[in-house]
Amino acid sequence: MICFDQVSKRYAGRHEALSRLSFEVAEGEMTFVTGHSGAGKSTLLKLLGVIERPSQGRIMLAGQSLTKVRRSGIPALRRRIGMVFQDHRLLTDRSVFANVELPLVIAGVPLVERRRRVRAALEKVGLLNDERQQPTVLSAGEQQRVGIARAIVGRPMLLLADEPTGNLDSQLAVQIMRLFVEFCQVGTTVLIASHDLPLIKRIKQRVVVLDHGRLIADLAAEEVL
């Protein structure tokens, strides 16, 4: 599903966020990306979402070169990728239902199909009874689950999550991570950037470790201690 081949990313001031990064992620695999603050975790996810472009190297996603995709092709590509953020990024003036529905509206999905898929996504994250609520009345954990429902409603082939449990207590964090495991079990490829090592050890999935933009470890699930 994902192939990074000698990928580097340099920003203004010659700061190198990623340096000659090479690794692969299989279809349907769940992988954590961890490392110190500034190790390059968020940059890696931004490259996959074509929010940033690499300075050198090649990135392949499901057989498509992300380094060659034109600007006009980015919206169609992003519809195949679900993204979950630490700060939720929900629209506070719209209901939970409308927040989750938004990607389908943008994609031109018919109304009846939108309603069915939104309610299926909300049921998956346990919030079907809150579809008419405003996000502001929900807890932090519930808001994060709305963000996850919005990310999966388009049935993405790849789900990216950037510190999705950073603002949650340990019990809620485990609940959110178990949702990601469930998505992986039905065939979605999941890539999660996180610095929460105790949580990563508890979930026991593959772990890619970055240090100053370089890959220093790639641990299979059974190697995570």
Side-chain angles (χ1 to χ4, degrees):
M1 177 61 73
I2 298 169
C3 177
F4 274 61
D5 182 15
Q6 295 291 303
V7 173
S8 296
K9 175 61 181 179
R10 298 182 189 88
Y11 289 103
R14 306 187 74 175
H15 167 62
E16 193 167 56
L18 294 175
S19 179
R20 297 187 178 276
L21 184 62
S22 295
F23 72 101
E24 296 182 357
V25 177
E27 183 177 357
E29 186 176 13
M30 179 172 174
T31 304
F32 285 105
V33 180
T34 193
H36 59 83
S37 178
K41 302 185 297 294
S42 294
T43 298
L44 189 156
L45 296 189
K46 288 177 180 177
L47 291 175
L48 282 169
V50 203
I51 298 170
E52 301 277 4
R53 299 277 194 163
S55 303
Q56 69 179 55
R58 183 182 64 146
I59 304 173
M60 302 294 292
L61 178 62
Q64 180 177 6
S65 174
L66 298 189
T67 46
K68 295 182 179 179
V69 65
R70 296 182 179 181
R71 185 181 296 271
S72 60
I74 292 177
L77 176 66
R78 286 183 181 158
R79 285 197 286 270
R80 304 172 69 195
I81 301 172
M83 302 189 72
V84 180
F85 305 95
Q86 180 177 343
D87 58 0
H88 320 310
R89 302 191 184 181
L90 302 178
L91 301 175
T92 57
D93 61 339
R94 301 192 185 192
S95 68
V96 166
F97 186 99
N99 268 275
V100 177
E101 181 188 32
L102 185 58
L104 301 182
V105 174
I106 294 172
V109 176
L111 177 60
V112 174
E113 177 68 4
R114 291 204 309 265
R115 288 174 175 171
R116 187 184 68 79
R117 287 168 63 172
V118 169
R119 292 190 173 118
L122 287 173
E123 184 176 24
K124 183 67 176 177
V125 301
L127 291 175
L128 184 57
N129 294 332
D130 296 298
E131 66 174 42
R132 296 185 180 181
Q133 299 282 3
Q134 298 297 114
T136 51
V137 307
L138 302 180
S139 67
E142 289 169 334
Q143 289 182 34
Q144 187 61 290
R145 282 189 278 158
V146 174
I148 293 171
R150 181 181 58 191
I152 66 169
V153 74
R155 299 171 180 168
M157 62 179 180
L158 173 64
L159 186 58
L160 304 175
D162 193 1
E163 300 287 359
T165 60
N167 295 326
L168 307 179
D169 62 41
S170 58
Q171 184 175 0
L172 284 173
V174 170
Q175 292 177 12
I176 293 299
M177 284 301 178
R178 284 176 177 163
L179 278 175
F180 289 122
V181 173
E182 290 178 12
F183 300 142
C184 181
Q185 289 171 345
V186 296
T188 303
T189 306
V190 181
L191 198 65
I192 302 173
S194 176
H195 66 273
D196 191 337
L197 295 182
L199 181 60
I200 290 173
K201 292 175 183 178
R202 185 168 180 176
I203 301 300
K204 287 186 171 58
Q205 299 287 333
R206 178 187 174 192
V207 180
V208 171
V209 186
L210 301 181
D211 181 21
H212 294 92
R214 296 180 180 273
L215 178 67
I216 62 168
D218 187 347
L219 307 175
E222 59 270 19
E223 297 176 301
V224 178
L225 305 176

